[in-house]
Amino acid sequence: MSPAPEAPFRHASTVAGLTLASRVLGFVRDAAVAALFGAGAVADAAVAGLAVPQLARRLLSEGALNAAVVPGLLDAEREAGIAEARARAAAALALITAAASLLAIVMTVLMPLVIALLAPGFDWDGERAAGAVLVGRLAVVCLPLMAAAGVLAAIANASGRATMPAFAPVLSNIAVLLVLGVVFLVPESRALAWLAAASVAGALAQLALMIGAVNGSRFAPSGVSGQALRAALGAAWPMLVQSGPSLLAAALPQLRFLVAGAAASGTVGGVAALFYAGRLIELPLGVVGASAGAVLLPLLAAQARSTPGNAGARAAEAALALTLPAGLGLMVLAEPIVVVLFKRGAFDADAVAATSYVLALLALALPVQAVEKILAAIAFAHGEGRLATRAGLAALAAGGVAGFALAGPLGVAGPALGILVSSAVGLAGLTLGLARRGLLRLDGAVRRRLPRLALAALAMTVAVMGAAWLLSDALAAHGLAGLAALAGCVVFGVAIYAGAAQLSGALDLTALRR
C-alpha cells in the first residue's frame, strides 16, 4: 500500500495553489494599473506596449517549454548519459536566450512598426502610439530574461524541482507590485516608463529564482565546456522546435486577445477594456489549463489504450461543469465585478461601463474556451499535435476576420464577439478531428447529464439575477460593502448551482473519477 501514486496529485495541488496565488496577485497588479491609467488613451498605450512581453511571460513562466525540454533531457540522459543531457540543457538555454535577444534588438529598432501591427487604429502621431512605442522599447528587454527563465524552469522540472518554477509567477507579480508602488509617487509624464520598469523587475525576479532552482540540480547547465556545448547545439535545436505545437496551444488565448486588441484599437479605450475584461476571464480558464497540464494530460495519456474516447469526454464534461456557471455568473455580475475590483483612481464610470460590457460578451466564450483547452490536451496526449495546431490557426484566422468586420458597426463589442467566433471554430475543429479518430465519444451517461447541467446553470443564473437586483445598491459601491454583496451573490449562486445539479443528477463525481 505505497503512497507513491498519490504524489502526482499532491504535486498537482501545489501547482494549482501557486497558480491560483499568481492569479490573485495578478488581479491586484491589474487593479493597480487600472487605478493609475484607467481605460482611456494612456491605458491603451500601456497595454499595446506591453503586449509582446506579456505574451512571452504567460508562455514561458507557465511551463510551455516543458512538453519538449523535459522529455528531451530525460531521453538524452538515458541514451548518452548525464553529461550529454547537461550539455543539451546548456545548449537549449544558449539558443533560446540568443534568439530572444536578437528578437528584442530587432523589435527595439522596429517598435513603431510593431505597434502599427498590434494597434493599427492608433494615430501614428498621436499620444497612444507614442506611449506604446516608449513602453515597448523599454519593456522588450524582458524577452531574453523570460526566455532564459523559461528554459531554466523546464530544466528544474526535468530535475524534479517543480515547486520553485510554479512559485516564479508569484514572485514576479510581487516584484511588479513593489515597483508599481513607486508609480503612484512619480509625475504622470513618467508613469509609463515606470510601468515598463515594473515589468523588467518582474522578469529579473523570475530569472533569479530560476537560477537558484537549477543550481546543483540533476540537469544543471553549469560547468559544461565550450566544446561540449557546441556539439550539443545540433541536438538541442530539434528539441526546442518540437515545443512549437505546445507553445501555439498555450499562446492561443493570448493571441486571440492580441488580434482582438488590434481590431479594437480604433476605439479609444477599447484595447484597455479588452485587457481588463480578459484578465477576469483568465482565472477560471487558468484553473482549467493548470488542471489539464498537471493532472488531465498525464491521466489521459495513461488511459489512451483503455478508454480513450470516454476519458476525454468526461474531462470535457468536468471543464464544462466548472466554466458554464462561471461564464454565466460573470455575464450577470459583470458590472459589479468591475466596480468592486477596478473602480478607483483613474478608473471612472466610463471605464466601468466599457469594461463590464466587454466582460459580459467575453463570458459567453468562457465555457467554449475551457472545453477547447481540454480537447487540445486530449490531442497532445494521443500524439495529435498537428490537429491542435491546425484547429488553432483556423480559429485565429476566423476570429480575426470576424473581429475586424464587426469592429466598425459594433465598436469594441465586435472584437469581443470575434473571440467567441474564434473559440467556437477551434472547438469545432478539435471535436470533429478527435471524433473521426475515435478519441472522443459521448456515452449515454454524459449525454443525459449535459442538458441537466445546462438547466442547473440556468437556474443559478436566474437566482443570481434576482439576488443582484435585491442587492443593487450595495453592489454599486466599490468598498467593503460592495465586496460583501458580491461575495454573497457568488456564494448564493454556487449553492443554487450545486443543489440543482445534485437534484437533477447533472453532477456525477464518481463517474468523473473513474
Side-chain angles (χ1 to χ4, degrees), residues 297-392:
L297 186 57
L299 288 181
L300 289 168
Q303 297 178 13
R305 295 182 179 178
S306 56
T307 56
N310 291 338
R314 288 169 179 167
E317 181 191 5
L320 192 63
L322 171 67
T323 56
L324 180 59
L328 292 173
L330 283 170
M331 182 180 66
V332 172
L333 297 174
E335 185 171 348
I337 288 172
V338 173
V339 167
V340 169
L341 292 179
F342 293 135
K343 191 180 180 184
R344 56 187 57 83
F347 204 89
D348 56 17
D350 290 338
V352 169
T355 304
S356 57
Y357 179 45
V358 174
L359 175 59
L361 293 174
L362 292 181
L364 297 173
L366 175 59
V368 182
Q369 291 186 75
V371 177
E372 182 190 16
K373 270 183 172 288
I374 297 301
L375 297 189
I378 295 171
F380 281 111
H382 292 85
E384 297 290 346
R386 290 184 179 180
L387 170 62
T389 300
R390 289 195 300 268

Side-chain angles (χ1 to χ4, degrees), residues 11 37 45 57 67 69-70 97 131 133 145 217 251-252 259 300 342 370 385 389 418 440 470 472:
H11 165 60
F37 301 109
R57 181 184 66 83
V69 174
V70 172
T97 304
V133 170
L145 299 177
S217 68
L252 188 57
V259 174
L300 289 168
F342 293 135
T389 300
L440 184 66
L470 292 173
S472 57

